[in-house]
Each structure stands twice: as C-alpha cells, then as structure tokens.
Amino acid sequence: VGAKRSPTEFLKQVTGRPVVVKLNTGVDYRGVLACLDGYMNIAMEQTEEYVNGQLKNKYGDAFIRGNNVLYISTVSAKKR
C-alpha cells in the first residue's frame, strides 16, 4: 500500500496513463486519461466502452461529463 495521497494528487499522477472510468449506469470506459477539470469532466484517448464486462465500442477520443462518473481507477497490469 502506498503513502496516503489526496484525490488531486492521485489524478495528477494518473493523467496520461491508462484508467477505468465507471459511470453511475455501470458502464466502464477504459483508456488514457488526457485531462479533467474541477467538475470532473473527463477527456480520454484510445477509449473503449464496456457493458457488463463486454467490449461494445471503441471511440478513440471521448468526453465524459463529470456528474455521470462514479469513480476513476488505475488499470491493473492484468487488465491491460
């Protein structure tokens, strides 16, 4: 377990790296976190949409409105 970090520190650390963004609807978006703002609006690159664990679409660049986001997590080595 790493040292305690603030959410801001975590987000700065994972910008430019692969992440999973889970929406309130249960849909996952996996891709590279390009940037985000203070409202948690997220821009992603190389984005893939997963519904019930199944790949549904590939979008390339995507924008996700922050009020739809349940969480953002890093991608584990196993899922890459």
Side-chain angles (χ1 to χ4, degrees):
V1 179
K4 289 185 179 180
R5 296 183 304 226
S6 72
T8 302
E9 290 171 317
F10 168 76
L11 292 169
K12 284 181 183 176
Q13 183 180 355
V14 299
T15 299
R17 298 176 62 191
V19 295
V20 175
V21 177
K22 180 107 173 171
L23 302 189
N24 297 328
T25 60
V27 176
D28 289 349
Y29 290 89
R30 300 177 190 177
V32 176
L33 179 63
C35 62
L36 63 139
D37 66 12
Y39 297 100
M40 293 294 291
N41 295 317
I42 298 169
M44 296 179 70
E45 300 170 342
Q46 303 168 34
T47 311
E48 297 176 337
E49 178 183 50
Y50 288 83
V51 178
N52 297 322
Q54 300 283 345
L55 177 62
K56 292 294 179 185
N57 286 299
K58 292 186 179 186
Y59 294 110
D61 294 341
F63 179 80
I64 300 171
R65 188 169 176 195
N67 67 335
N68 296 312
V69 176
L70 183 62
Y71 67 76
I72 301 170
S73 67
T74 56
V75 176
S76 68
K78 283 191 271 184
K79 290 184 181 178
R80 281 189 195 165

